[in-house]
Amino acid sequence: MNCTTIAAISTPHAEGGIAVIRISGEKALKIADKIFRTASGKLPSEMKGYTCAYGHSVKGDEIIDEGVLTVFRGPKSYTGEDIAEISCHGGIYVSRGTLRAAIEAGAIPAEAGEFTKRAFLNGKKSLTEAEAVMDIISADSERELKFARSMQEGAVFRRIRSITDKIVTVLGALAAWSDYPEDDIPEVEPEALKASLEDIKQELLETIRTGDYGRIIKEGVSAVIIGRPNVGKSTLFNLLSGCERSIVTDIAGTTRDVVEERIRLGDVTLRLWDTAGLRETEDVIEKIGVNIAKERLERADLVLAVFDGTEPLSDEDRELLERLPGKRTIAVINKLDRISENDLRESLGCKFERCIGMSAKEGTGLEELHEAIEDMFYKGEVTPEMGILANERQLGCARAAEGLIEEAIEALEMGINLDAVTVLLDDAADNLMSLTGERASEKVVEEVFSRFCVGK
Ligand code: GDP
């Protein structure tokens, strides 16, 4: 247990209805005695946990503000320590006055994320649950909030814990065998061992795959618009982003750079990259754009391949089709305002997961596009309760563990002695415990909480 007492303003540093000053630690209630005078005259340190009192924050005899004090008694509090929370008027100057009084009375200013870090260190939360607090704060859609909440409720922790348990069971069998090889303990069967490790590896691979989904939930689907010149890529981009961003002209090759826009289509977030088109060019500036476009294409979740519905497929279209990466792709047949029928859908349809008709100029077909993206990325078997990896740190630990299990399987196949397998499995379990925080290094913990804001 940390013996210092910390204080911070936990609400945004801006004018608002209410500001909350939070004080946590051994001396929290003694400090509250000095800086909060209840109307009833009762001392905060005499109050029970989960009770409030109306009164004034004070500096000596001088009143700073009126407000309400809430007392939490450890371990039944957010941090696990005693907490005094003063809700006062939401002015910047006035709330800082109360904070200053708390600091003069013996509290030290809290660092970024320190309240949640204490909750972690005091065993109130696992590391993934603590990370979820940040995700709840930054969630900007119902879906994102649901996933963050399930992580806070321990879904990721449980998923990883169950894999760690399986590794530990294997380790237990190996330890028993190596410690008492002559006793009655059945010899470790390499085949049975390998089967257990294969199971663990599969579970880890599935868990790693959820990371993609976690990223999409948080950041949105990253999408690239491609197509030969003049099919309407910029027009589509502008329609989606709702403003004139890239230059629209009739001269081929005028979109020279790559512009990123975060847009909402219903409850789908798209991180849309408008690109210069994937074609060979002699123009130096455009070439840079084309190279970036290729790189983006590699990294995108979704490709929107645009075709001009008023023209038959050209050689350039066909070339583009040849070069499409093995990515989820939606074919957008554009300019359908100019014709009543087109047969492009038939010539293209079979090549794509989805094929939709649009007029980027007139703004029709957006609903169909939205549905296609929703179906491709958000429907399916993924549910919040399954435990979805939510960030690069978690993914990194899971990947490292998977790599080690893979090595252990190889070691078994090559008949390397079981001590080497034990070391690899130990390391794998360590990585998973670092993910959940059960055995995280100080550096990892620092890194996680440095991303928090002060007061959380
Ligand atoms: P890009 O080179 O693929 O980016 O194509 P642009 O967006 O610059 O569009 C090329 C031309 O096609 C412009 O004159 C646009 O106004 C026109 N255009 C784009 N979309 C549509 C559409 O849906 N219908 C019609 N009729 N014209 C379009």
Side-chain angles (χ1 to χ4, degrees):
M1 175 100 42
N2 203 315
C3 56
T4 56
T5 297
I6 51 171
I9 301 173
S10 284
T11 38
H13 292 234
E15 285 180 22
I18 290 177
V20 175
I21 292 97
R22 199 189 240 171
I23 310 164
S24 175
E26 237 171 32
K27 288 191 274 171
L29 302 181
K30 286 284 170 214
I31 290 171
D33 283 351
K34 291 188 200 157
I35 67 160
F36 197 85
R37 206 180 292 150
T38 65
S40 67
K42 192 171 189 173
L43 283 173
S45 59
E46 290 166 354
M47 287 166 60
K48 286 194 178 137
Y50 302 141
T51 59
C52 306
Y54 167 77
H56 292 89
S57 55
V58 294
K59 186 180 171 191
D61 288 334
E62 195 186 316
I63 287 182
I64 303 171
D65 195 10
E66 68 175 336
V68 173
L69 169 81
T70 311
V71 167
F72 301 85
R73 288 194 177 262
K76 293 181 175 173
S77 72
Y78 183 76
T79 55
E81 307 168 333
D82 285 348
I83 291 184
E85 267 183 17
I86 300 171
S87 306
C88 61
H89 287 112
I92 299 172
Y93 185 77
V94 78
S95 55
R96 281 194 188 150
T98 302
L99 174 64
R100 215 174 298 123
I103 289 167
E104 280 166 20
I108 58 166
E111 286 172 17
E114 203 174 352
F115 292 99
T116 312
K117 184 175 170 185
R118 286 184 175 206
F120 164 69
L121 294 174
N122 292 332
K124 301 286 289 186
K125 284 185 191 321
S126 71
L127 203 54
T128 49
E129 286 158 13
E131 281 174 313
V133 172
M134 248 349 251
D135 289 353
I136 286 178
I137 293 174
S138 60
D140 65 358
S141 71
E142 182 60 30
R143 193 159 18 217
E144 208 178 321
L145 183 59
K146 265 194 197 142
F147 277 88
R149 200 173 288 138
S150 70
M151 183 156 89
Q152 198 200 19
E153 285 159 4
V156 173
F157 180 83
R158 284 191 296 276
R159 180 173 192 148
I160 299 299
R161 187 63 172 291
S162 99
I163 303 177
T164 316
D165 285 349
K166 287 181 185 164
I167 298 178
V168 170
T169 305
V170 175
L171 277 169
L174 284 171
W177 174 81
S178 70
D179 288 349
Y180 312 99
E182 301 88 28
D183 293 354
D184 280 346
I185 293 154
E187 197 172 321
V188 177
E189 277 290 334
E191 280 312 308
L193 191 58
K194 206 180 131 203
S196 307
L197 294 185
E198 287 287 356
D199 266 1
I200 293 169
K201 181 179 143 191
Q202 284 315 318
E203 267 191 62
L204 277 170
L205 286 173
E206 270 167 41
T207 308
I208 291 166
R209 273 196 291 275
T210 68
D212 262 347
Y213 194 75
R215 181 180 49 74
I216 285 173
I217 298 272
K218 268 166 89 163
E219 297 172 9
V221 177
S222 62
V224 177
I225 301 178
I226 61 167
R228 68 176 164 84
N230 270 332
V231 290
K233 297 181 297 296
S234 304
T235 314
L236 174 62
F237 180 85
N238 290 338
L239 169 72
L240 289 171
S241 58
C243 61
E244 293 279 319
R245 260 299 162 78
S246 40
I247 326 146
V248 182
T249 63
D250 280 328
I251 310 152
T254 43
T255 318
R256 293 199 162 168
D257 51 357
V258 184
V259 188
E260 182 178 328
E261 188 93 18
R262 205 178 140 96
I263 59 155
R264 293 302 286 260
L265 203 58
D267 56 356
V268 167
T269 302
L270 269 191
R271 272 169 42 230
L272 199 59
W273 289 321
D274 182 20
T275 64
L278 298 177
R279 59 200 193 86
E280 301 309 321
T281 172
E282 289 312 308
D283 183 316
V284 181
I285 303 171
E286 201 186 326
K287 213 163 200 162
I288 297 169
V290 172
N291 284 337
I292 298 173
K294 277 189 179 151
E295 193 204 311
R296 291 286 163 107
L297 191 54
E298 299 266 304
R299 286 168 35 205
D301 301 310
L302 170 70
V303 174
L304 296 174
V306 186
F307 299 91
D308 187 333
T310 64
E311 293 170 12
L313 271 195
S314 69
D315 287 347
E316 223 173 331
D317 287 325
R318 287 204 185 81
E319 204 186 308
L320 190 99
L321 288 174
E322 299 280 304
R323 285 192 290 150
L324 274 182
K327 295 254 165 194
R328 313 198 83 166
T329 306
I330 296 177
V332 176
I333 301 175
N334 192 30
K335 307 196 188 181
L336 291 196
D337 54 292
R338 280 183 44 198
I339 44 161
S340 51
E341 297 253 319
N342 88 89
D343 52 14
L344 260 190
R345 199 182 273 260
E346 272 120 75
S347 30
L348 283 174
C350 57
K351 291 196 173 66
F352 296 95
E353 203 173 328
R354 294 293 285 254
C355 191
I356 63 165
M358 287 193 80
S359 164
K361 199 169 184 175
E362 310 221 317
T364 56
L366 273 181
E367 194 43 44
E368 210 186 330
L369 180 63
H370 171 220
E371 269 170 31
I373 298 173
E374 177 86 31
D375 281 355
M376 284 164 99
F377 290 93
Y378 295 105
K379 296 250 163 77
E381 287 96 59
V382 187
T383 61
E385 302 75 37
M386 283 168 58
I388 306 295
L389 296 188
N391 56 45
E392 277 302 316
R393 185 193 74 80
Q394 296 176 6
L395 256 176
C397 294
R399 284 202 189 104
E402 193 276 325
L404 288 157
I405 298 290
E406 177 84 50
E407 269 186 64
I409 294 173
E410 278 168 24
L412 268 182
E413 281 168 350
M414 292 190 318
I416 294 175
N417 79 32
L418 294 180
D419 287 346
V421 176
T422 301
V423 172
L424 291 164
L425 295 186
D426 252 337
D427 266 4
D430 257 357
N431 273 286
L432 295 183
M433 286 179 165
S434 172
L435 194 164
T436 55
E438 290 162 285
R439 214 190 275 165
S441 71
E442 211 166 298
K443 196 163 147 255
V444 168
V445 174
E446 289 301 322
E447 161 70 23
V448 166
F449 290 99
S450 67
R451 291 196 293 267
F452 278 59
C453 41
V454 171
K456 190 60 234 174

